[in-house]
Amino acid sequence: MHPDDPSAFLRVAAVSAPSTPGDVLANATAAAKLVDRADHAGADVVVFPELYLPGYHPPTLESRPVQCDLEVDFYGQIADRRLDPLRDIAQRHRVCVLVGASLRQGPRRFIATVLIDRLGKARDVYHKQHLVEVERPLYTPGESGTTLVVNGWRLGLGICYDSAFPEHARAAATTGCHAYVCGGAYNVGGEHRRDLYYRARALDNTFYVVFSGATGGTAPWELSGGSAIFDPEGRSVDQAPMSGTGMAVADLEAQKLAEVRASHTMLSDIRSDVSARQTVSVES
């Protein structure tokens, strides 16, 4: 095996779950129980939805920033004791946890993915780069992508609306990622777009896609779940129930990844000159 190749398998759990708006400790405690459940299923990595820790509820995020936000230091470390249940379970089971959070660094707020690593350390690892309209008054968009390496698997991180931009996942693929991992929060009614985005990003880039979707809430913030894991041809490997609490669990397989990329060579066939185009007018 080449040093840059992934291990044969990486087992991932994508959680679907509701959150209590504004109660980071309660949500972290609930998440710890789900990590314990995922560990019993053999997961190496557990992924939670967008803004899972404060809850995806814009009125609460706007009116209660002190309760919703985690402070991050200059080095990206997070010391907030409300994360202790997740720190403890991650360290006990030696699993990696990726969880959606609202972070504050100085005057700026970010919709973020926080990594709780196998040593129980909490780190700020990714900021959402594409914000929807309701988020723009509250948050600053992220400035760069992130690749997380676990057991040799290169995981490109995204959050919800990022996946609507094919360039975001393509940037992960062309820099060597084997999978694209996103938390999201889609309102009820957006199921078709949600599922199409993640299937398409998998097939476009011949890599695995892991999506964790929030559930719960009430209109207009009722969320539709949809947690699923897609193979490099866009097929669903496992999917969680559309409501309530559950998880999709599947192995990312190095052999499957290699086989698909050998037969579907889109990444190696990309042309750099296709942006050049001519305009042809039809006379009336």
Side-chain angles (χ1 to χ4, degrees), residues 237-254:
V237 182
D238 195 23
Q239 189 159 0
M242 292 295 105
S243 61
T245 300
M247 63 180 68
V249 181
D251 289 331
L252 311 188
E253 302 179 17

Side-chain angles (χ1 to χ4, degrees), residues 11 41 55:
R11 184 162 294 182

Side-chain angles (χ1 to χ4, degrees), residues 207-230:
F207 57 16
Y208 283 93
V209 168
V210 179
F211 170 69
S212 170
T215 62
T218 56
W221 307 111
E222 185 180 3
L223 304 173
S224 65
S227 295
I229 299 168
F230 300 99

